Amino acid sequence: MDQAGLLLDFKNLREVMKPVIDRLDHQMINELEPFITLNPSAENLAKYFYDETNARMKTQTNGRVFVKTVKIFETDETTATYFE
């Protein structure tokens, strides 16, 4: 925990997530790496968000906080989850 007793402030979480989301938002995902050769399925998107967010989170928190699970919702009932 930090000095305020927080594991991670939501402001810091937004700072980590924003560039990851913005890179794909309103883009032709099939024209962006790694999805030029990798199918942009929900499963692969979950792994992409896991990897990208985890790397940024570890850097931002000096390894104190890491991503445990990413769940992508295709519909209210269809999801893909990635974890290690």
Side-chain angles (χ1 to χ4, degrees):
M1 286 195 238
D2 67 10
Q3 294 175 347
L6 298 172
L7 182 60
L8 183 71
D9 190 300
F10 283 117
K11 176 186 168 211
N12 300 108
L13 179 59
R14 274 192 302 274
E15 290 172 4
V16 167
M17 292 296 302
K18 185 169 178 16
V20 179
I21 294 168
D22 286 351
R23 181 168 181 269
L24 301 181
D25 190 31
H26 293 91
Q27 301 296 319
M28 295 295 295
I29 295 175
N30 291 37
E31 296 176 1
L32 301 173
E33 285 294 342
F35 303 109
I36 292 171
T37 56
L38 185 66
N39 182 348
S41 65
E43 295 83 359
N44 288 332
L45 284 166
K47 183 177 185 330
Y48 172 82
F49 277 99
Y50 179 94
D51 291 342
E52 293 295 314
T53 305
N54 209 26
R56 291 174 182 275
M57 185 69 67
K58 286 181 179 179
T59 300
Q60 172 118 2
T61 66
N62 294 319
R64 186 175 55 83
V65 179
F66 59 92
V67 176
K68 182 175 179 182
T69 303
V70 171
K71 183 179 278 192
I72 300 291
F73 286 79
E74 290 183 315
T75 69
D76 289 343
E77 298 176 2
T78 308
T79 65
T81 302
Y82 185 84
F83 60 92
E84 291 183 0

